[in-house]
Amino acid sequence: MKNQDKIKALQTLAELQVDREAGYRKVADEAIVADFDLKVMFQNMANDSKKSTEFLNAFLSEYGGEKVEHENSFLSKIHQMWIDVNQAIAVKDRKALLSNCEFGENIIIGAYETILEDERLVDVEIRMLLHSQLDDIKKSLKIIEDVKELEEA
């Protein structure tokens, strides 16, 4: 895989992480006192995304790519998901909020899995990083699913 292909893949994942961080920060900031559990959960997920972006940016620098520093993603599905999250916040619908976060996590998981399936991305260090980040996102998804299940009970 050419460096340009690696750079594009890493930038895509970094953009997703930036979108994820921004979305979770917005949700955490707008959570009401009664939703303190969600506020803390989403703050932790936002912090995880920030760290993931920093690691991805380190590799981008190494390959000569531009760092992703702010929300500049053009990934419409994620953007639409966060619009839906904002609407769920407005009506204080915890179940809808969790469902939209679940959707977003699945999109990001799909992006990581697609990039990891490309065997041309052979750099062991990057592969290890991406697997680690993917595992973290899957753990976050599991937490969201568990909380959502409690909401439905």
Side-chain angles (χ1 to χ4, degrees):
M1 177 176 273
K2 296 184 282 186
N3 272 359
Q4 199 58 31
D5 293 333
K6 287 181 183 181
I7 289 168
K8 184 177 179 185
L10 293 173
Q11 284 176 329
T12 296
L13 296 179
E15 288 173 0
L16 286 167
Q17 288 288 359
V18 167
D19 284 347
R20 182 178 185 257
E21 177 189 356
Y24 282 134
R25 290 225 188 276
K26 181 159 184 63
V27 173
D29 290 347
E30 294 185 11
I32 58 175
V33 175
D35 293 328
F36 184 75
D37 59 328
L38 294 183
K39 183 179 190 81
V40 171
M41 180 178 78
F42 293 141
Q43 285 171 335
N44 289 336
M45 290 175 184
N47 292 337
D48 290 345
S49 283
K50 183 176 183 177
K51 289 177 194 168
S52 292
T53 303
E54 290 169 1
F55 283 115
L56 292 166
N57 276 336
F59 279 109
L60 282 166
S61 290
E62 184 178 321
Y63 288 114
E66 273 188 52
K67 292 181 179 181
V68 177
E69 308 247 355
H70 51 81
E71 189 172 352
N72 63 351
S73 173
F74 48 86
L75 302 167
S76 62
K77 286 185 181 180
I78 295 298
H79 178 70
Q80 184 59 50
M81 184 270 305
W82 286 119
I83 290 170
D84 294 343
V85 166
N86 291 334
Q87 290 171 346
I89 293 169
V91 297
K92 307 295 187 235
D93 184 345
R94 286 173 58 105
K95 185 178 170 191
L97 178 64
L98 292 165
S99 291
N100 287 313
C101 292
E102 181 179 31
F103 172 80
E105 296 293 74
N106 280 313
I107 295 293
I108 295 171
I109 287 169
Y112 270 83
E113 289 174 343
T114 298
I115 289 170
L116 283 166
E117 286 172 4
D118 189 339
E119 295 193 15
R120 297 174 297 164
L121 188 61
V122 293
D123 188 315
V124 173
E125 202 172 5
I126 292 174
R127 193 169 283 286
M128 288 174 45
L129 172 69
L130 298 184
H131 276 293
S132 174
Q133 290 182 356
L134 177 59
D135 288 344
D136 290 343
I137 296 166
K138 286 180 177 181
K139 288 176 189 171
S140 292
L141 175 60
K142 176 70 171 124
I143 291 168
I144 290 168
E145 290 171 341
D146 289 347
V147 172
K148 184 178 163 193
E149 187 176 306
L150 288 173
E151 290 296 316
E152 294 172 348

